[in-house]
Amino acid sequence: MTSLSSETLHATSIAIEGHAVLIEGRSGSGKSDLALRLIDRGAVLVSDDYTLLVRRDGRLLARPPATIAGRIEVRGLGILPMPHVEDVPVVLIVRIDDDVLRMPERRARRLAGVEVPQVALAPFEASAPIKLEMALRRELGGTQPA
């Protein structure tokens, strides 16, 4: 039997090697900027600003709402088309925060009934994309996304 549950989160989401990362923060906090830098490193857009989360058979999948699929807001340029993917398994939540602890405890959040690991990152640090990739790699058990 397939169990479905869903919710919409104010988060930009990207896929790295088939694994979705939700980037969550207030408007103007740097979600899309961090996503663009990750896309430049090989990630693929799932959704910008809002992500639809669907629980299917115990897995949490990320997809864009139909109204914004394949578009990203680039501050100073407007809303632009961008290739995207859908229904990508969520592995990590990144909470945008300018005050990040040096040695944080591991945290998780429950979304649509599924526990998802969560980390905090300062989005405009030059190392933010690399730190996000390292956090994802840690959650995947040390495997290296390309």
Side-chain angles (χ1 to χ4, degrees):
M1 176 179 200
T2 300
S3 64
L4 289 175
S5 178
S6 67
E7 69 180 77
T8 301
L9 190 66
H10 183 205
T12 293
S13 52
I14 50 93
I16 299 174
E17 292 293 312
H19 305 286
V21 177
L22 305 172
I23 305 169
E24 184 180 45
R26 68 187 188 288
S27 293
S29 64
K31 297 182 302 290
S32 298
D33 184 275
L34 179 54
L36 280 172
R37 289 183 284 139
L38 287 157
I39 289 166
D40 188 52
R41 294 175 56 83
V44 179
L45 178 69
V46 175
S47 189
D48 185 39
D49 206 35
Y50 285 92
T51 300
L52 179 60
L53 301 171
V54 177
R55 184 186 73 217
R56 184 179 299 136
D57 297 325
R59 289 185 349 155
L60 190 62
L61 304 175
R63 68 170 65 149
T67 54
I68 60 172
R71 293 185 259 180
I72 189 167
E73 181 180 347
V74 180
R75 194 169 296 270
L77 298 179
I79 298 173
L80 301 174
M82 175 152 303
H84 75 288
V85 292
E86 299 186 4
D87 294 334
V88 182
V90 176
V91 175
L92 181 67
I93 303 167
V94 172
R95 186 178 45 80
I96 297 297
D97 194 339
D98 290 326
D99 187 24
V100 177
L101 297 175
R102 285 184 63 206
M103 301 294 286
E105 293 181 20
R106 292 193 85 163
R107 300 190 66 185
R109 279 214 1 241
R110 183 170 292 280
L111 298 171
V114 178
E115 284 283 316
V116 181
Q118 174 179 290
V119 298
L121 291 177
F124 298 116
E125 289 181 350
S127 61
I130 298 165
K131 288 177 181 177
L132 185 148
E133 291 169 348
M134 291 175 81
L136 175 60
R137 194 168 36 248
R138 179 179 71 182
E139 295 309 322
L140 293 174
T143 60
Q144 171 115 12

